[in-house]
Amino acid sequence: MASGTPDEIMVKASGHNSVIVKLKNDAADKVLGEILKIKNVEKVKMESKNSIIIHSKRGKDILSDVSDVLYKQKYQIEEIYVSKGALDEAFRELTS
């Protein structure tokens, strides 16, 4: 059974603190290898030619590390943000 506040439950969700990146060009496949080298990155999922979702290990904060890699490699970022996940998904994961 899951117990705790909604924020405590969200921290346990697999999508918690995932970073979503949308690039200005179709370069998402080129950045995958560099992103996977980041210490607390668990996996990277390519959503489209210019969009990726980066999952962190145990909900660690990886936004600054991801943005550092992208800027150092001179990728043009259209959008970058952190997803806290969805409470209903977290609850489903914890109760199934």
Side-chain angles (χ1 to χ4, degrees):
M1 172 176 274
S3 64
T5 67
D7 288 338
E8 291 169 336
I9 293 171
M10 290 292 291
V11 170
K12 297 174 185 175
S14 62
H16 182 71
N17 272 349
S18 293
V19 175
I20 291 78
V21 177
K22 292 182 183 177
L23 301 171
K24 289 186 179 180
N25 50 30
D26 295 344
D29 59 334
K30 294 179 180 92
V31 74
L32 297 179
E34 292 299 316
I35 297 293
L36 284 169
K37 292 178 186 175
I38 297 172
K39 180 182 177 183
N40 286 312
V41 168
E42 182 176 326
K43 66 181 178 178
V44 180
K45 181 180 177 187
M46 201 165 134
E47 288 289 295
S48 68
K49 292 180 181 179
N50 70 334
S51 178
I52 55 175
I53 299 175
I54 306 151
H55 295 273
S56 65
K57 292 179 183 172
R58 297 175 302 284
K60 298 281 187 178
D61 182 7
I62 57 171
L63 179 62
S64 62
D65 294 332
V66 169
S67 62
D68 285 348
V69 166
L70 295 171
Y71 284 113
K72 285 178 185 175
Q73 297 295 321
K74 299 186 186 326
Y75 287 100
Q76 296 180 343
I77 300 169
E78 183 176 313
E79 187 175 13
I80 185 169
Y81 61 93
V82 175
S83 171
K84 297 297 181 185
L87 184 58
D88 61 332
E89 289 178 26
F91 187 74
R92 233 183 340 270
E93 287 176 19
L94 294 171
T95 58
S96 59

